Amino acid sequence: MDNDSTTVARVKATVDSDIEKRPDKNHTRKSFTSTLYELSRTHKELKNNKLRNHIEKCVMYCIIQNRDRPEELKNGLMTIAPHLFGKILFILFFQ
């Protein structure tokens, strides 16, 4: 089952209304990579393929390592920007 809302709705209606949709890592990666590519149109720094690949690697590693642990996932994702761009840029843009 992929990230198709229709499929999830049918399963909820016919099998179990408490079922929860969880995207797999391939769909998550594809969606994230597509978003990065779209952002590269307006942010010249992201035009660099090596940088986009490194960001993808860092984010996917964090997601996989912190599956089922939302607070750790949030903390891990918040550390990626300082890791990639330095703490000063992180403070300027996110504080």
Side-chain angles (χ1 to χ4, degrees):
M1 180 167 51
D2 61 6
N3 286 337
D4 184 2
S5 299
T6 305
T7 304
V8 174
R10 286 185 183 157
V11 169
K12 283 184 173 188
T14 59
V15 180
D16 182 2
S17 62
D18 294 329
I19 201 159
E20 192 176 299
K21 178 174 119 173
R22 291 180 75 174
D24 64 33
K25 77 176 180 181
N26 292 331
H27 285 97
T28 301
R29 175 172 298 187
K30 182 180 177 185
S31 176
F32 182 73
T33 303
S34 296
T35 302
L36 273 180
Y37 182 76
E38 288 297 317
L39 285 170
S40 74
R41 293 179 180 187
T42 55
H43 301 307
K44 67 178 182 174
E45 300 82 7
L46 293 176
K47 290 192 184 296
N48 183 321
N49 284 335
K50 287 183 180 181
L51 177 61
R52 281 198 318 264
N53 290 340
H54 186 67
I55 293 171
E56 175 192 339
K57 182 177 79 171
C58 291
V59 169
M60 291 309 298
Y61 180 80
C62 182
I63 289 171
I64 292 166
Q65 292 298 312
N66 294 300
R67 185 175 182 172
D68 297 326
R69 299 183 324 198
E71 196 59 37
E72 288 86 350
L73 176 61
K74 177 184 169 187
N75 292 337
L77 291 172
M78 292 298 290
T79 62
I80 291 173
H83 164 73
L84 291 173
F85 302 109
K87 192 169 185 167
I88 293 173
L89 287 176
F90 178 77
I91 292 169
L92 288 174
F93 288 109
F94 296 106
Q95 298 289 332

